[in-house]
Amino acid sequence: MKLAAVALLALALAPAALAAGPTVSSKTSAGATTTTVPITTAPQIETKARLTDKQALAIFFAYPKVHDWLKRYPPHPVTDATFKNGAWKIMVWSGKAGEIAQGDIDDPTGAVLDAFTGPQVAWSMARGGPGAFGGKEINSYGIWLGFCAVFLIGLIDWRRIISWRTADLLAFVSFSVSLWFFNHGHIFAAMSLVYPGMVWLLIRCLRLAHIDRAPSTRARWPVWVLAALTVFGAGFRIGLNVRASNVIDVGYSGVIGAERIATGQVPYGNFPIEDNRPACGPADQNGEIRDRIQTNSYCETANALGDTYGPVSYEAYLPGYWIFGWSHHWDSLPAVHATSIIFDLLALIGMAFAGRRFGGARGAATMAFAWAAWPFTQYVSSSNTNDAIMPALLIWGFVLITSDYGRGAFAALAGWTKFAALPVLPLWLGYPEARRLRVAKRTVIGFALATLAAFSILFLDGFNIIHQVHVFYDRTIKFQIGRSSPFSLWDWRQYHAKGLPNLHAVQIALQVLFVAGALALGWWPKYRSPLRFAAYTGALLIGFELVLTHWFYLYLPWFFPFVALALLVSPPGRPVEVAAIEEPAPIPV
């Protein structure tokens, strides 16, 4: 009778199990997964483990990746092995370092299913896997190397292949090597390989700004060829964004902020959170329910740390929100895609105008082509982040370089998008000559007016402006300064592991040097040619990235327009009359 009852129960459950099918999930960013389709399956009966906890730990410790990492720590770490659903969950802790390794062991076979060490424990984006940022197509070898090849072939001076220009172009694409290591989960190697390229470009910018003499090399293709390739490339980039890109949390935060502003709410402190709010959606593949009922009574996908950017980062998404709206969920987000495409095109057009102003038709074609062909600008577009907004605004400020009010206004708008642009203000106070009070005043007025316009959203919740400024500071500047991260050289001390340097003191020294240099550029040099202005702007943006604790590849386009203008287009250096003032004629003998 017992056997018959079991058989009847199995027959009753079989149709439901067969109809359920596999669970469907979709990863939209590193460490974040969209909601999964809920399915009905037969209840699992917990079986007795084949392995003991000591055997599971021994298998995990013998795994090469784990074994090599644990050698950096004292012996006998604290461990935990938990058996559930046919697998062992392993966790390892060591003193001040906290959790240093975790993974999963398949009980029937003894195979290591997952093994995460160091930064991979807390940061899912450190675990590798091309496609988490930008989708799989932009990260594929064919498309990525195709971008690199077009960039190099189009911009190398084929009459002088062995030249500084070729070295500069190779430095631009050298970040691809670091990205390869990142995509394969080798974070320490990946971050170490970022700095040579940035230091090279920094030195080249400082050198050109110092001598104030443009390089003599240039792209040799006819202007119409570069222009035609740029038009084709722009269309290809749009297609790649629409067809094969994803939206990570940075872009998702943009449309949330736009919705809050459009509905009369200050975004800071009002982003959707999980906390203990009622769940209103199914769990993802990790068992986490991110859809929660918010204070506005909507069921929204949480993004608790999304309000960490300047106000322009959210205001820029308003047109896309007004046209496409937002479903209150982390879905396809057409408003975010539209905003990414718009600012990508604005940056490209701004590059063309800046190149045209200081390099004629060839300069325009070269600058626009450089933006369209460099793979990291497409990496930003395919990731649908806000990282093209700041350089787009800055390059348009450079187009208006002779307008004191315009320079100040665009410096403010860029700075209140990503704070990285704020250090350019002392340099941008004076053009073509510093130390002129009237010019500086006009620039400051332009900066102040644009700042007031950007921060006007703080009045949406009433006139308690002191409270709103405090919330803004806590959610943005304070958070950014205090965050820890493995994505630079500067914070690896947090892992307390042998072989990893503690460079915190070096970072502080470099930060002080950077701030001093940025302030000094408000006074020196007195005369700023277009070349010197572009080169110093590029150097400031690179310098800011070099001393950041949390750095990422999406930040590379921040400095690209100005470094490209200085190194690849060769705008005019100091005019003859300025040279005569700086270098008096020798006294006749």
Side-chain angles (χ1 to χ4, degrees):
M1 290 296 292
K2 291 183 178 179
L3 280 174
V6 171
L8 286 172
L9 178 61
L11 287 172
L13 292 175
L18 291 173
T23 301
V24 179
S25 64
S26 170
K27 184 156 285 190
T28 55
S29 74
T33 308
T34 59
T35 55
T36 57
V37 178
I39 60 177
T40 304
T41 59
Q44 293 184 352
I45 301 174
E46 189 67 65
T47 58
K48 185 178 181 180
R50 184 182 68 86
L51 301 172
T52 65
D53 55 352
K54 293 183 179 180
Q55 290 173 327
L57 286 168
I59 293 172
F60 186 67
F61 283 4
Y63 192 67
K65 175 182 176 180
V66 177
H67 176 74
D68 292 344
W69 180 249
L70 294 184
K71 287 193 300 184
R72 298 171 180 264
Y73 293 92
H76 312 300
V78 177
T79 61
D80 181 72
T82 305
F83 177 73
K84 186 177 181 180
N85 296 333
W88 288 90
K89 181 71 175 180
I90 308 296
M91 291 181 285
V92 185
W93 295 268
S94 179
K96 294 181 179 180
E99 190 173 3
I100 58 175
Q102 66 173 233
D104 298 286
I105 306 293
D106 183 57
D107 183 72
T109 64
V112 177
L113 302 176
D114 292 306
F116 304 123
T117 59
Q120 296 176 337
V121 174
W123 294 81
S124 58
M125 64 184 281
R127 297 173 182 177
F133 291 86
K136 291 185 178 180
E137 289 208 21
I138 185 59
N139 286 282
S140 66
Y141 289 125
I143 291 181
W144 190 273
L145 294 178
F147 269 101
C148 291
V150 171
F151 181 79
L152 293 173
I153 293 171
L155 295 175
I156 282 177
D157 186 345
W158 293 100
R159 297 181 185 177
R160 297 175 59 185
I161 294 179
I162 301 178
S163 63
W164 292 114
R165 182 188 186 89
T166 301
D168 296 336
L169 292 170
L170 291 174
F172 278 123
V173 300
S174 69
F175 303 109
S176 303
V177 179
S178 172
L179 182 61
W180 184 89
F181 280 95
F182 170 81
N183 283 339
H184 288 79
H186 305 299
I187 301 305
F188 299 124
M191 294 302 106
S192 300
L193 290 170
V194 167
Y195 293 91
M198 284 204 291
V199 170
W200 172 271
L201 295 174
L202 173 65
I203 293 173
R204 289 283 289 142
C205 284
L206 292 176
R207 172 63 177 166
L208 285 178
H210 175 67
I211 64 175
D212 204 10
R213 188 167 58 248
S216 58
T217 54
R218 63 182 179 88
R220 295 295 175 177
W221 294 102
V223 170
W224 69 268
V225 172
L226 291 176
L229 289 173
T230 300
V231 172
F232 173 82
F236 181 78
R237 291 164 68 90
I238 294 173
L240 205 58
N241 182 294
V242 172
R243 182 175 58 87
S245 69
N246 62 12
V247 180
I248 67 170
D249 54 354
V250 178
Y252 177 46
S253 70
V255 74
I256 297 174
E259 188 272 344
R260 297 298 193 257
I261 295 169
T263 55
Q265 191 175 33
V266 177
Y268 301 104
N270 291 310
F271 263 50
I273 59 175
E274 292 182 32
D275 199 19
N276 58 354
R277 299 191 183 282
C280 54
D284 60 22
Q285 64 183 10
N286 298 318
E288 181 182 8
I289 301 176
R290 303 194 66 189
D291 291 347
R292 303 299 179 100
I293 301 296
Q294 304 300 318
T295 55
N296 58 8
S297 301
Y298 283 103
C299 176
E300 295 181 341
T301 307
N303 188 10
L305 299 177
D307 56 343
T308 188
Y309 306 106
V312 181
S313 286
Y314 309 112
E315 294 159 351
Y317 285 83
L318 282 170
Y321 170 77
W322 286 328
I323 296 172
F324 296 101
W326 174 45
S327 68
H328 298 275
H329 296 286
W330 194 341
D331 50 24
S332 59
L333 299 173
V336 179
H337 286 272
T339 304
S340 297
I341 292 171
I342 288 170
F343 277 93
D344 183 64
L345 291 176
L346 284 175
L348 187 150
I349 295 170
M351 294 274 281
F353 271 83
R356 175 69 178 83
R357 180 163 190 179
F358 298 107
R362 176 166 294 279
T366 300
M367 285 283 282
F369 174 85
W371 180 272
W374 197 43
F376 286 97
T377 56
Q378 183 57 42
Y379 191 67
V380 167
S381 178
S382 290
S383 299
N384 288 285
T385 71
N386 55 21
D387 291 286
I389 301 174
M390 187 194 84
L393 294 170
L394 273 183
I395 196 62
W396 279 102
F398 191 84
V399 171
L400 301 174
I401 189 172
T402 55
S403 169
D404 302 326
Y405 297 108
R407 282 198 321 277
F410 275 97
L413 293 175
W416 301 127
T417 301
K418 296 274 188 172
F419 304 123
L422 293 177
V424 308
L425 180 60
L427 172 68
W428 282 38
L429 285 177
Y431 176 85
E433 185 179 346
R435 313 175 200 171
R436 294 177 61 183
L437 185 59
R438 182 179 299 178
V439 171
K441 282 183 177 179
R442 289 197 292 260
T443 307
V444 169
I445 290 172
F447 184 93
L449 292 175
T451 297
L452 289 174
F455 280 93
S456 62
I457 63 172
L458 296 185
F459 292 99
L460 290 174
D461 283 348
F463 288 89
N464 189 4
I465 191 64
I466 295 177
H467 170 71
Q468 295 297 344
V469 169
H470 179 72
V471 173
F472 165 79
Y473 172 78
D474 282 345
R475 302 296 298 175
T476 59
I477 298 173
K478 183 179 180 180
F479 169 77
Q480 295 287 1
I481 292 175
R483 71 190 306 187
S484 61
S485 172
F487 301 106
S488 71
L489 295 175
W490 311 120
D491 201 26
W492 293 350
R493 69 189 187 281
Q494 65 178 296
Y495 298 106
H496 300 276
K498 294 178 182 177
L500 293 183
N502 184 350
L503 299 175
H504 186 56
V506 177
Q507 181 191 21
I508 293 176
L510 291 176
Q511 287 173 338
V512 171
L513 180 63
F514 169 75
V515 172
L519 293 175
L521 287 174
W523 185 260
W524 180 92
K526 183 176 182 180
Y527 299 100
R528 291 100 187 275
S529 66
L531 171 63
R532 180 172 275 175
F533 203 85
Y536 274 133
T537 300
L540 283 170
L541 295 171
I542 294 174
F544 184 91
E545 294 192 31
L546 282 173
V547 299
L548 276 181
T549 298
H550 182 76
W551 180 91
F552 199 61
Y553 303 93
L554 297 167
Y555 304 167
L556 290 171
W558 295 358
F559 63 73
F560 181 71
F562 300 95
V563 180
L565 185 62
L567 301 182
L568 305 179
V569 174
S570 303
R574 54 187 173 180
V576 175
E577 60 271 17
V578 172
I581 294 174
E582 286 186 328
E583 299 175 3
I587 300 174
V589 177

